[in-house]
Amino acid sequence: METVLLYILGVVIVVVGLIVSIGLHEVGHLVPAKLFGVRVGQYMIGFGRTLFSKRVGETEYGLKLIPLGGYISMAGMFPPARQGGKPRTASTGFFDTLVQDARTAAHEGIPAGQEDRVFYKLPVLKRIVIMLGGPLMNLVLAFVFFGIVLVGFGLPQSTTTIGTVYECVVPAQSTQTECAADDPRAPAAEAGLLPGDRIVAIDGQTVEEYAQISAIITAAAGDELEMEVVRDGETLTLPVTPLLTERPQFDDDLNPIVDATGDPVTADVGFIGIGYAVQNVPQPVTAVPGYVGDTAQRIGYSILTLPWRVWELGQSTFGGTERDPDGIIGVVGIGRLAGEITSLDTLPVADRASSLLGLLGGLNLALFLFNLVPLLPLDGGHVAGAIWEGIRRGVARLFKRRDPGPVDVARLIPVTMVVSGALALLTVFVIFSDIVNPISLFAP
């Protein structure tokens, strides 16, 4: 019962975190819009049926049924058909009607005398500030969440404390899990090293990082080393002679390096048969930007390769293969991972809290990057329209031509509908995949 409650708690935390992230995203649009005098009719979190709303001044604030997004309704998002003209209803076709309806809706409800309080009449820079305010709020949240993880909890790192002592030496390609009678005894076990021993010096040279210890051992095959360790508060000196053996190689992220055929890459190195204990090491504040940058690079690559990743997701979902843990995951999948994290009683509470904050940090970073895509209805689409308008007007001024007026982004309403439909279908598909073929912490 406790496990179930913890699982539900994890899901609730992520849902609340998502709602807060969306709400603050819209605040990032709302605040500059009001500062610049734009009339804002609605501030809504979610879509569908309204669960709660309250009007404060000229703006209605509310929460809707489906918390998968949000919006603020600004007056005059689209200009009239002609500069200085008024919206009209088209009768020349379905898409023309959509465009004109969008223009009409953008100008409805504006009181007399406030016709200039519209979005499209703002200077280009102010419009860009309004549209980037939402994504930038998500970026700030990502820095906050990742900052708490790195500075408050720390990142898992190998230490100079011995976590594991292997009893014997087996070939690098071997899959055996127990020592055979003819397997040579590992030098560390032979020397009497024990889990929990903290290595402080080798041959009189003080060591402070596990990388120093590994470098000394790998280069000293056949040479006896005097290893100083602290055990139960007492310093011991134990002689250890590394063996020359073939060991798999790992990259900077401790992932096995493989060759073109998929086989592990090995090298002949000195080996004594120990594994290092891992603990969370708090990082300096200066490490946060680099960490956010590395995470943004991975998420950005996923967005750029979205069509291929959707194809891979389809293959795994309908082909019954295992999901790529670095592939597309939706809010249902994130909620499931959060539930598994909080219900994992073998993990310390601090590690569970850190993992949940990391999930929310990644979610906000994904919202930041995805909203920069220059397609309507995403924020990046409005930014692209404003930039294009600025370029057109700049060129007109340069060549002393007539001001071309605002860019008519309303003409892109059909494209907006296609993009919105595609995003809706993708959302449904990812949710379906998260249900029938989920990414799980307990996957074999």
Side-chain angles (χ1 to χ4, degrees), residues 15-355:
V15 170
V16 172
L18 175 63
I19 292 174
V20 170
S21 298
I22 292 172
L24 290 177
H25 174 101
E26 298 307 328
V27 167
H29 294 310
L30 178 72
V31 171
K34 284 186 171 289
L35 286 175
F36 297 150
V38 177
R39 180 180 174 83
V40 181
Q42 286 185 317
Y43 167 95
M44 291 289 171
I45 300 175
F47 298 103
R49 185 169 64 88
T50 300
L51 300 178
F52 164 82
S53 71
K54 180 178 178 61
R55 181 168 294 277
V56 179
E58 65 186 17
T59 306
E60 179 189 9
Y61 299 86
L63 178 66
K64 291 183 174 286
L65 181 63
I66 306 172
L68 295 180
Y71 65 92
I72 65 169
S73 175
M74 291 184 287
M77 283 293 292
F78 306 116
R82 296 183 181 88
Q83 188 172 6
K86 294 183 178 181
R88 63 181 177 82
T89 301
S91 59
T92 56
F94 174 71
F95 288 116
D96 284 339
T97 301
L98 287 177
V99 172
Q100 294 302 335
D101 285 349
R103 289 195 180 104
T104 301
H107 291 261
E108 284 180 344
I110 301 178
Q114 298 188 22
E115 291 84 1
D116 289 334
R117 294 184 59 197
V118 290
F119 177 77
Y120 81 90
K121 287 187 177 181
L122 288 177
V124 168
L125 183 58
K126 289 186 177 181
R127 275 181 278 159
I128 292 175
V129 169
I130 290 174
M131 298 318 299
L132 287 183
L136 287 176
M137 184 66 78
N138 292 125
L139 180 61
V140 170
L141 288 173
F143 268 92
V144 170
F145 286 129
F146 285 133
I148 294 173
V149 171
L150 267 66
V151 180
F153 293 96
L155 294 179
Q157 292 182 358
S158 296
T159 66
T160 59
T161 299
I162 298 174
T164 306
V165 176
Y166 302 103
E167 292 297 322
C168 60
V169 180
V170 298
Q173 307 293 344
S174 175
T175 58
Q176 69 185 72
T177 57
E178 295 183 359
C179 295
D182 57 346
D183 288 332
R185 189 167 170 78
E190 187 73 27
L193 289 170
L194 299 175
D197 289 350
R198 180 167 59 88
I199 303 171
V200 294
I202 301 177
D203 283 346
Q205 177 184 346
T206 300
V207 291
E208 297 179 350
E209 297 180 353
Y210 87 97
Q212 294 176 272
I213 302 171
S214 296
I216 294 172
I217 292 173
T218 54
D223 298 330
E224 184 177 275
L225 301 174
E226 295 292 328
M227 191 166 289
E228 294 181 31
V229 301
V230 175
R231 180 186 300 170
D232 297 329
E234 181 182 359
T235 302
L236 305 175
T237 301
L238 303 173
V240 184
T241 302
L243 292 177
L244 182 64
T245 184
E246 186 182 40
R247 294 287 102 187
Q249 299 298 289
F250 299 88
D251 59 21
D252 293 337
D253 295 324
L254 301 181
N255 297 314
I257 301 174
V258 297
D259 58 23
T261 63
D263 295 325
V265 175
T266 61
D268 292 332
V269 298
F271 172 79
I272 65 172
I274 61 172
Y276 302 98
V278 176
Q279 69 179 29
N280 288 333
V281 178
Q283 306 296 305
V285 174
T286 53
V288 178
Y291 186 88
V292 172
D294 291 342
T295 307
Q297 186 176 11
R298 293 194 297 271
I299 295 175
Y301 179 76
S302 296
I303 293 174
L304 291 174
T305 58
L306 186 60
W308 171 248
R309 292 184 178 272
V310 172
W311 173 258
E312 285 185 326
L313 181 61
Q315 286 184 315
S316 63
T317 300
F318 298 108
T321 58
E322 186 177 339
R323 287 270 296 273
D324 179 3
D326 295 324
I328 304 174
I329 184 170
V331 291
V332 172
I334 293 174
R336 180 190 178 98
L337 289 178
E340 291 187 356
I341 289 169
T342 54
S343 62
L344 193 60
D345 55 8
T346 58
L347 203 63
V349 173
D351 288 348
R352 285 182 263 181
S354 176
S355 297

Side-chain angles (χ1 to χ4, degrees), residues 322-323 329 333 336-337 340 432-440 443:
E322 186 177 339
R323 287 270 296 273
I329 184 170
R336 180 190 178 98
L337 289 178
E340 291 187 356
F432 174 78
S433 299
D434 286 342
I435 294 173
V436 302
N437 188 24
I439 295 174
S440 175

